[in-house]
Amino acid sequence: MGKSVTIDKATEQDAEQILKLQYLCFQAEAEMRGDYSIEPLTQSLAALRDEIQNGCVLVARLGDEVVGSVRGTVDADGTACIGRLIVHPRLRRHGLGGRLLATIEERLAEERAAARYRLLASRGPAHLRLYRRLGYVPVATEEVSRKLSTVTLEKEAPRSLAASA
């Protein structure tokens, strides 16, 4: 490819590319659920722009192309909810998802005083392996259908990051 992938805060100009990538990445989950009305496939551009403006949204760029993204919020008790971790299919299995996740964890701890992280996995064993390798442990499982279960995973923020916020 010749260019390095960079990770940075999303801008309003990234919204359309993020939304297109999100739509591409969530097709498999919609198929497994038998439901194409899931929120990642129906989110409006305006709602995404609001998330970018008011939340913590990161993008991975290869040149000018958005090839990955992740989002997070922190609630009043310091729990960061991380979601919509997406990587373009042609760049999967190269460590980009792990880089995005580590970067948003760091940002949420430093900028928003996150004390712990929570995420929901519902797309197969590869995702669970990534999350477990990064220190997440399952805390709850919900059966969505015979073909699909969702797993809630959590981990504590490193003391040095949470304490410095």
Side-chain angles (χ1 to χ4, degrees):
M1 284 184 214
K3 296 180 184 177
S4 295
V5 175
T6 59
I7 297 174
D8 203 359
K9 185 171 172 43
T11 67
E12 194 171 305
Q13 289 74 31
D14 296 320
E16 286 186 45
Q17 285 192 66
I18 294 169
L19 205 56
K20 287 176 184 176
L21 181 60
Q22 176 176 298
Y23 190 83
L24 173 68
C25 291
F26 277 90
Q27 291 295 312
E29 182 170 332
E31 184 177 346
M32 284 192 307
R33 288 176 180 260
D35 180 4
Y36 286 85
S37 66
I38 62 175
E39 210 275 335
L41 299 183
T42 60
Q43 183 177 25
S44 71
L45 188 57
L48 177 55
R49 284 188 172 134
D50 184 59
E51 279 188 71
I52 290 170
Q53 191 170 50
N54 298 308
C56 185
V57 180
L58 302 179
V59 291
R61 289 189 183 88
L62 181 61
D64 293 332
E65 180 186 6
V66 171
V67 294
S69 183
V70 66
R71 303 171 207 181
T73 60
V74 179
D75 65 18
D77 75 351
T79 300
C81 294
I82 298 172
R84 307 275 168 88
L85 176 61
I86 54 175
V87 173
H88 194 286
R90 78 174 188 273
L91 294 176
R92 289 182 184 153
R93 303 197 54 86
H94 294 283
L96 185 52
R99 284 180 56 203
L100 279 162
L101 192 53
T103 304
I104 199 156
E105 288 173 358
E106 186 177 298
R107 295 257 177 113
L108 292 171
E110 290 175 354
E111 298 171 7
R112 298 174 188 237
R116 76 197 59 73
Y117 309 109
R118 178 178 299 144
L119 53 81
L120 190 67
S122 58
R123 290 183 279 165
H127 293 92
L128 290 175
R129 276 193 304 275
L130 168 66
Y131 301 143
R132 285 183 172 140
R133 192 182 72 223
L134 295 173
Y136 285 84
V137 294
V139 295
T141 302
E142 179 183 344
E143 188 173 321
V144 176
S145 69
R146 285 188 313 135
K147 295 181 181 179
L148 181 68
S149 294
T150 58
V151 180
T152 302
L153 299 106
E154 292 184 352
K155 81 174 190 181
E156 295 297 313
R159 297 261 185 248
S160 60
L161 289 177
S164 66

